[in-house]
Amino acid sequence: MTTASPVLTVDGPGGSGKGTICRLLARDLGWHLLDSGAIYRAAAIAADRRGIDADDGPALLPVAARLDLRFEAPATADGDVVVWLDGEDVTAELRQEQTGNQASRLAVIPAVRQALLQRQRDFREPPGLVADGRDMGTVVFPDAAAKVFLTASAEERARRRHKQLKEQGVSGSLTALLQEITERDARDRERSVAPLVPADDAVVIDTTGLNVDQVLDRMRELLSRKGYRVPTPD
Ligand code: C5P
């Protein structure tokens, strides 16, 4: 039965390493992957295309409810998922800082979150799901088999984002990034609905000073304590 599929939720602020960790774990487990931030980001792009302000709840609602969104599996194991919105490839635009900021503005609106809820739950299919977001363990999949909350200092997260953007050929100031990250964190943490907080039963891992392999090891340990073995790639 679909609802019985196990879910691993990975929540935390931007730049905490969730995206990379979730992609690798989903690959190793052979489970599906939900990048819920991409759904909020796509909603922000859809609103922008229609000239709708990211704070305009009543106008955003029908857009969020009827998002024509499709995720295409990457061509290679290390590749990025391709995101199609209204039949257009929006993958590059989706990753821009500005899109993330717009997404975090519309994400404070309860009705918008509600409109996107079922779309996220629909990703839960056998053999299992790795769900990356802010409220995966608290709201979307409260019955998840294992819950992790990844954190890292704002400075470390800004450094990581800066490096990531540089690798994508995007230049930007570290100071400006740090400020954006701090503002986005505050918005995500202080909103009234589904704020960014660890679920009561989440294991909190501070990834400051840890590399990807070290974080993955901790997650493998957690999953194996819960009875799920994560095969290690050769
Ligand atoms: O994770 P990502 O940076 O792609 O998310 C963009 C924004 O979407 C976040 O800053 C947050 O405001 C919102 N979001 C959310 N709930 C989620 C995922 C993302 O509110 N589950």
Side-chain angles (χ1 to χ4, degrees):
M1 210 170 72
T2 305
T3 49
S5 293
V7 181
L8 163 67
T9 58
V10 184
D11 289 307
S16 55
K18 288 176 304 149
T20 308
I21 297 294
C22 287
R23 189 156 47 86
L24 294 172
L25 273 178
R27 182 199 65 188
D28 295 349
L29 284 159
W31 287 8
H32 299 279
L33 175 66
L34 165 61
D35 172 2
S36 60
I39 297 179
Y40 284 90
R41 285 169 182 261
I45 296 175
D48 187 58
R49 294 274 199 278
R50 291 162 177 78
I52 297 169
D53 194 86
D55 303 310
D56 186 350
L60 285 168
L61 197 52
V63 177
R66 285 194 282 275
L67 269 190
D68 175 4
L69 185 61
R70 193 165 60 81
F71 293 92
E72 185 184 313
T76 62
D78 302 329
D80 239 351
V81 170
V82 181
V83 184
W84 297 89
L85 175 70
D86 295 323
E88 181 193 352
D89 177 356
V90 294
T91 316
E93 190 176 348
L94 201 82
R95 291 293 148 220
Q96 288 171 9
E97 287 303 302
Q98 196 202 341
T99 307
N101 279 323
Q102 299 287 97
S104 84
R105 283 172 58 203
L106 60 81
V108 305
I109 304 170
V112 169
R113 303 195 69 84
Q114 185 63 35
L116 298 175
L117 193 57
Q118 191 56 45
R119 185 183 284 271
Q120 297 172 73
R121 291 189 172 147
D122 288 344
F123 277 76
R124 184 178 200 166
E125 281 191 48
L129 176 69
V130 178
D132 165 349
R134 302 288 190 290
D135 60 343
M136 299 294 99
T138 48
V139 176
V140 183
F141 302 109
D143 63 335
K147 300 181 185 180
V148 174
F149 191 88
L150 294 185
T151 63
S153 69
E155 290 74 16
E156 168 100 7
R157 291 188 283 122
R159 268 195 302 275
R160 287 180 190 162
R161 193 72 109 185
H162 192 246
K163 184 165 168 267
Q164 205 177 38
L165 288 171
K166 223 165 142 185
E167 282 163 7
Q168 293 163 1
V170 183
S171 60
S173 121
L174 187 60
T175 321
L177 263 181
L178 179 58
Q179 192 184 339
E180 269 172 30
I181 279 183
T182 313
E183 278 170 18
R184 182 126 68 98
D185 278 1
R187 202 153 45 223
D188 286 349
R189 290 203 161 99
E190 288 159 17
R191 67 183 174 219
S192 60
V193 174
L196 173 64
V197 283
D200 289 341
D201 48 351
V203 172
V204 179
I205 303 176
D206 186 341
T207 69
T208 314
L210 296 182
N211 64 31
V212 171
D213 284 336
Q214 290 168 318
V215 181
L216 276 175
D217 279 347
R218 302 239 183 134
M219 308 270 279
R220 283 200 189 92
E221 271 167 36
L222 168 70
L223 282 164
S224 79
R225 277 204 302 277
K226 302 270 182 185
Y228 301 98
R229 205 184 72 80
V230 189
T232 323
D234 322 308

